[in-house]
């Protein structure tokens, strides 16, 4: 290889990292779409807001099963082909959801979405070490996982903004077109990715399961508490703003865009700090989330201000947890189990929020979300001090 070939080879690898990051953004945005569209979906399909919330629950539960299942059953397949296939499945699922005539078809489409989410996220998160030199692995991994965080805080406001002008189905069409367009980008930028060597070695079983103790279990517990609390409340933030704050569609879209902008800022502001000390960074971020949820319940607190604080907190949580997990070890299957925990938490949070909304009231979900996040802070403060090395 000549010296002039080196820069182009390096650029090609970073293009691959970028395309995978756009892929993680696309799958997680697709998962979150119903959050900002819930009221419109429920009205159009003739179901309650709680029942419409199953469009969030279904893909979360399926992704939780799909992530470890695909990591195990496809351990001898080229990861490049798997990522392309999963992105194609996502594009089809979003277009089916856009055309859904009833809630049954919508849920079927969301099941397919869950398969794509679980597999793509689990494989993508571990690709940094295979695409760039060792000295750049941290940066590459942050970029790839940044797609997840940015999608969590920006995808929903963007979809809500689009739907306020063209209807909720247009948001699913846009996500489907983005996924199908990304197929060509992934095919062009990703090199062949043979299965990781660790997946086929003789000591595989011991290596896969030796990490299921101590700090890594703590990360999974904190993931469950924080993400469940977040989605119990956030899945129903639009009905809350409409019914409690009296916001119209345009104001709701603006509020969620501000939340998204704050979340992106929180993601990048907390990344470097989380790399040095994920535990303390995580605690600060979750405290911000809890304060914001409680503030929304107080008369006189501007909801836009509370949502900005909420976005700042949640924007960095995903990266902090993932960096904490990576710091404690675990290979592709370990990442898959983290993805599984994350998505189970999304599903359970959305499901619990729906039941609370239907049985009690929309404001009650804010209290429930705040309670879970407070418990997460306590666990991280007490168990984290004892179980996490270097914290």
């Amino acid at each position: 290889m000549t010296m002039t070939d080196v820069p182009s080879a390096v650029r090609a690898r970073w293009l691959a990292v970028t395309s995978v990051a756009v892929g993680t953004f696309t799958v997680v945005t697709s998962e979150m779409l119903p959050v900002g569209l819930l009221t419109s979906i429920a009205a159009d399909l003739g179901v309650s807001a709680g029942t419409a919330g199953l469009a969030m629950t279904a893909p979360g539960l399926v992704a939780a099963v799909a992530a470890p299942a695909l990591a195990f059953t496809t351990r001898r397949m080229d990861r490049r082909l798997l990522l392309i296939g999963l992105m194609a499945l996502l594009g089809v699922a979003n277009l089916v959801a856009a055309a859904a005539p009833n809630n049954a078809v919508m849920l079927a489409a969301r099941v397919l979405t869950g398969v794509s989410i679980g597999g793509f996220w689990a494989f993508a998160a571990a690709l940094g070490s295979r695409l760039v030199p060792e000295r750049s692995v941290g940066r590459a991994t942050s970029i790839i996982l940044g797609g997840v965080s940015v999608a969590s805080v920006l995808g929903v406001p963007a979809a809500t903004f689009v739907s306020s002008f063209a209807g909720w189905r247009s948001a699913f069409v846009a996500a489907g077109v983005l996924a199908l367009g990304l197929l060509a980008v992934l095919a062009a930028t990703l090199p062949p990715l043979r299965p990781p060597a660790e997946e086929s070695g003789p000591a595989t079983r011991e290596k896969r399961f030796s990490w299921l103790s101590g700090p890594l279990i703590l990360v999974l517990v904190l993931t469950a508490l924080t993400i469940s609390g977040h989605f119990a409340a956030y899945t129903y933030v639009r009905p809350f703003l409409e019914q409690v704050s009296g916001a119209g569609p345009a104001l709701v879209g603006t509020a969620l865009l501000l939340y998204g902008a704050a979340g992106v800022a929180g993601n990048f502001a907390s990344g470097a700090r989380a790399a040095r000390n994920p535990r303390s960074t995580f605690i600060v971020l979750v405290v911000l989330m809890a304060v914001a949820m409680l503030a929304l319940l107080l008369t006189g607190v501007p909801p836009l201000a509370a949502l900005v604080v909420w976005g700042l907190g949640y924007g960095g949580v995903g990266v902090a947890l993932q960096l904490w997990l990576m710091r404690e070890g675990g290979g592709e299957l370990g990442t898959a189990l983290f993805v599984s925990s994350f998505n189970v938490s999304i599903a359970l949070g959305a499901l619990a929020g729906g039941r609370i909304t239907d049985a009690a009231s929309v404001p009650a979900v804010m209290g429930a979300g705040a309670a879970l996040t407070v418990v997460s802070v306590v666990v991280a403060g007490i168990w984290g001090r004892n179980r996490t090395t270097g914290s």
Side-chain angles (χ1 to χ4, degrees):
M1 176 180 292
T2 67
M3 291 300 293
T4 56
D5 291 329
V6 175
S8 62
V10 171
R11 283 196 299 271
R13 291 291 175 154
W14 282 107
L15 282 174
V17 168
T18 303
S19 69
V20 174
V22 177
T24 58
F25 170 83
T26 304
V27 296
V28 177
T29 294
S30 297
E31 180 174 20
M32 306 300 170
L33 279 179
V35 172
L37 312 175
L38 204 61
T39 304
S40 300
I41 292 173
D44 196 12
L45 300 183
V47 295
S48 69
T51 299
L54 292 174
M56 278 292 295
T57 303
L61 291 176
V62 173
V65 175
L70 287 172
F72 181 77
T73 58
T74 64
R75 60 191 182 278
R76 294 184 176 85
M77 292 182 63
D78 187 322
R79 270 48 185 150
R80 174 178 179 269
L81 297 178
L82 280 171
L83 291 174
I84 292 172
L86 289 166
M87 189 55 60
L89 178 63
L90 182 69
V92 171
N94 279 326
L95 294 179
V96 171
N102 53 53
N103 200 48
V105 174
M106 168 62 80
L107 291 179
R110 299 296 286 169
V111 166
L112 296 180
T113 300
V115 174
S116 178
I117 293 165
F120 195 99
W121 187 354
F123 295 131
L127 284 184
S129 60
R130 307 187 63 192
L131 292 174
V132 299
E134 184 176 354
R135 66 181 181 277
S136 301
V137 167
R139 180 185 171 199
T141 303
S142 296
I143 291 172
I144 291 172
L145 297 176
V148 176
S149 297
V150 173
S152 299
V153 297
L154 194 58
V156 171
T160 305
F161 187 75
V162 170
S163 70
S164 67
F165 293 100
W168 68 268
R169 295 181 188 273
S170 64
F172 281 95
V173 170
V177 170
L178 175 60
L180 294 178
L182 191 56
L183 290 177
V185 177
L186 290 171
T189 59
L190 285 177
L193 295 166
R194 296 175 64 85
E198 69 177 46
E199 296 296 322
S200 55
T204 299
R205 181 178 180 82
E206 180 181 354
K207 197 168 187 179
R208 281 176 180 159
F209 294 100
S210 62
W211 65 272
L212 286 175
S213 61
L216 290 161
I217 290 181
L218 172 61
V219 172
L220 298 181
V221 170
L222 294 175
T223 299
L225 289 170
T226 306
I227 305 307
S228 293
H230 171 76
F231 279 97
Y234 188 57
T235 301
Y236 299 92
V237 72
R238 179 168 182 169
F240 179 90
L241 291 174
E242 292 173 338
Q243 297 175 26
V244 178
S245 301
L251 183 57
V252 169
T254 301
L256 292 180
L257 281 174
L258 287 174
Y259 166 89
V264 172
N267 174 62
F268 290 108
S270 61
R273 184 175 179 83
R276 294 191 299 271
N277 194 328
R279 173 177 167 268
S280 64
T281 304
F282 172 81
I283 289 174
V284 170
L285 294 170
V286 180
V287 167
L288 290 177
M289 292 171 59
V291 168
M293 293 178 201
L294 291 173
L296 283 171
L297 294 173
L298 300 176
T299 303
V301 175
L304 292 181
L307 282 170
V308 166
V309 173
W310 192 346
L312 284 170
Y314 183 71
V317 161
V319 171
L321 286 169
Q322 183 68 53
L323 289 172
W324 196 344
L325 178 74
M326 293 173 62
R327 184 178 181 179
E328 302 299 343
E332 196 174 77
L333 185 57
T335 299
L337 290 173
F338 170 69
V339 173
S340 179
S341 175
F342 202 104
N343 281 281
V344 164
S345 303
I346 292 173
L348 293 180
L351 180 62
R355 302 287 74 78
I356 293 170
T357 296
D358 288 347
S361 66
V362 172
V365 298
M366 293 298 163
L372 285 172
T373 53
V374 168
V375 172
S376 180
V377 170
V378 172
V379 171
I382 297 175
W383 192 17
R385 182 183 296 277
N386 298 327
R387 302 294 299 180
T388 305
T389 59
S391 295

